[in-house]
Amino acid sequence: MHGRSERTRAAKHYLGPEDYNDYSGENVSKWNPKRWSRGVIIGAIIAAIVIIVAIIVGAVVGSRNSNSAYPDYTQLNYTLQDTYHGTTFFDNFDYFNTYDPSQGFVHYVPEETAQQYNLTYATDSAAIMRVDTSTANATTGRFSVRITSKKQYNNGLFIFNVTNSPYGCSTWPALWLSDPSNWPTNGEIDVMEGVNQATNGNQMTLHTTDDCKMNVKRKETGKVLTTNCFNGTDDNAGCGVKGTNAATFGEAFNEQGGGTYAVEWRNAGIRIWFFQRGSEPSDIPTDVSNTTAPDPSTWSTPMADFPGTDCDISSHFKNQSIIADIDLCGSWAGATGVYSTQDQCPGTCSDFVAQNQEAYAKAFWEFASFRVYSAS
Ligand SMILES: *[C@@H]1O[C@H](CO)[C@@H](O)[C@H](O)[C@H]1NC(C)=O
Ligand SMILES: *[C@@H]1O[C@H](CO)[C@@H](O)[C@H](O)[C@H]1NC(C)=O
Ligand SMILES: *[C@@H]1O[C@H](CO)[C@@H](O)[C@H](O)[C@H]1NC(C)=O
Ligand SMILES: *[C@@H]1O[C@H](CO)[C@@H](O)[C@H](O)[C@H]1NC(C)=O
Ligand SMILES: *[C@@H]1O[C@H](CO)[C@@H](O)[C@H](O)[C@H]1NC(C)=O
Ligand SMILES: *[C@@H]1O[C@H](CO)[C@@H](O)[C@H](O)[C@H]1NC(C)=O
Ligand SMILES: *[C@@H]1O[C@H](CO)[C@@H](O)[C@H](O)[C@H]1NC(C)=O
């Protein structure tokens, strides 16, 4: 109804050079203990004792907390529930058609307009979602698409076979799970997300209400960005993990024919794997008519691990739809420190969107299939 659905607005974590302070050593003498007064020394001793006591108390309390153990990700037996594939791919989605909650310079169009402009198009083997390239002077924002699966899920194994990801100045594409009308109450799981040239890898993020943190033991190959998933911290940056290499998103990803993202969402935790095209585990059937279920307990270390240690996964994540979009500008891609400083894109983001129709020829998603399995 009046709920807001927002994806990660992690601009703060994309620091431009001006954001890094120059620690020039000007005040170094303050840190020379020989110059400290007696009061300062006594204060320092008291502070040291307080810290030691706090560490001991913390360790004792922590070890009593039954939630503090790394979860047991033992094998679950999965059954195929849904396959999104072929010419009917888009029939399983609603087209989002109101103001972009992420302040993008974009008009998300209804299904009829998307078809008229050929922004969504499905064949037997691929579903394509793209940005309008036919309008020369899109002065109020360019046409694009955001789709939300009609079906909602409450856990499961999701296999996203993606052959092309959008990239280029001003773009902010994403593939994620969320309940747009109950955000952030029912949580958000960002599976694929990048901005502008997207040359530094895919970002995976959770967004929740309070009491969901990832400052715990994790087993993952990705790089931790922030650890508090609560939307009220870090300007709603969420708890993010960055992909291991550039080929996890954008041009480098597309050049190798894309790949497969797998999300296992269970009460123990949420894990996201990325497999390069051709390197998928052999238990993921390449033929979508093969209903054999994969077994993530046999796979390699995931790229992102969000264990339930300090986050009650079952209460923070509910009724998740599969959502995909291609946003333009907005609070992440369009932020000056990101668009201009970090990604070296020309002019202003909205001028770029309005005047460079040809730049969007490569800004498209191509999905081979989505498959969803549930634990039996
Ligand atoms: C999964 O299936 C195997 C083989 O049928 C069985 O041994 C195992 O107990 C099942 N595991 C669960 C969690 O149901
Ligand atoms: C729509 O896009 C698809 C995929 O790129 C293309 O094959 C098809 O010819 C386009 N249809 C029209 C009417 O332009
Ligand atoms: C684009 O449209 C605006 C507003 O109608 C107009 O002022 C501008 O001259 C147009 N630019 C081009 C390149 O056509
Ligand atoms: C976080 O979510 C609450 C609703 O629970 C909302 O009122 C608040 O504006 C959100 N904060 C941000 C930074 O998105
Ligand atoms: C179905 O896929 C599984 C996993 O890839 C494979 O082991 C099995 O041989 C396939 N079955 C058929 C009939 O192709
Ligand atoms: C993913 O889709 C591509 C393109 O259709 C196909 O070649 C590949 O075998 C698929 N891989 C898996 C693991 O489904
Ligand atoms: C989830 O969706 C179902 C069906 O629409 C609804 O009855 C239920 O209240 C929702 N649960 C939450 C926690 O939003």
Side-chain angles (χ1 to χ4, degrees), residues 4 6 183-184 231 236:
R4 300 196 308 156
E6 297 188 343
W183 186 94
N231 84 304
N236 185 29

Side-chain angles (χ1 to χ4, degrees), residues 282-285 290 292:
S282 60
D283 63 2
I284 300 179
N290 180 339
T292 307

Side-chain angles (χ1 to χ4, degrees), residues 152 154 179 182 186 318-319:
Q152 297 190 312
N154 281 289
D179 176 5
N182 294 288
N186 285 351
K318 293 201 168 93
N319 286 359

Side-chain angles (χ1 to χ4, degrees), residues 121-298:
Y121 182 84
T123 67
D124 285 338
S125 59
I128 290 165
M129 222 176 105
R130 66 165 126 248
V131 177
D132 172 35
T133 54
S134 69
T135 306
N137 192 7
T139 47
T140 65
R142 197 163 281 282
F143 284 178
S144 185
V145 178
R146 168 169 158 159
I147 56 169
T148 308
S149 72
K150 295 179 199 276
K151 191 151 175 188
Q152 297 190 312
Y153 300 93
N154 281 289
N155 55 44
L157 174 65
F158 298 75
I159 307 286
F160 300 103
N161 184 343
V162 180
T163 25
N164 196 84
S165 59
Y167 71 96
C169 282
S170 80
T171 62
W172 177 8
L175 169 63
W176 75 105
L177 304 174
S178 187
D179 176 5
S181 45
N182 294 288
W183 186 94
T185 312
N186 285 351
E188 171 179 336
I189 305 168
D190 298 331
V191 182
M192 289 186 77
E193 187 166 26
V195 291
N196 297 316
Q197 307 291 12
T199 49
N200 56 357
N202 181 45
Q203 186 164 322
M204 298 145 288
T205 312
L206 304 186
H207 297 269
T208 63
T209 52
D210 205 357
D211 276 324
C212 178
K213 295 197 186 84
M214 293 297 145
N215 50 351
V216 295
K217 180 180 176 185
R218 302 162 78 172
K219 295 179 182 170
E220 60 194 355
T221 60
K223 177 176 169 279
V224 174
L225 299 174
T226 41
T227 56
N228 195 336
C229 313
F230 175 35
N231 84 304
T233 55
D234 302 323
D235 280 345
N236 185 29
C239 48
V241 175
K242 196 82 177 163
T244 29
N245 62 62
T248 54
F249 202 97
E251 187 174 22
F253 171 88
N254 302 341
E255 273 171 1
Q256 60 189 18
T260 298
Y261 274 90
V263 180
E264 189 187 41
W265 160 26
R266 55 196 280 182
N267 292 349
I270 296 167
R271 296 184 294 171
I272 302 177
W273 285 261
F274 169 64
F275 303 110
Q276 279 194 340
R277 175 66 67 237
S279 305
E280 290 92 348
S282 60
D283 63 2
I284 300 179
T286 52
D287 174 0
V288 286
S289 66
N290 180 339
T291 61
T292 307
D295 177 8
S297 75
T298 65

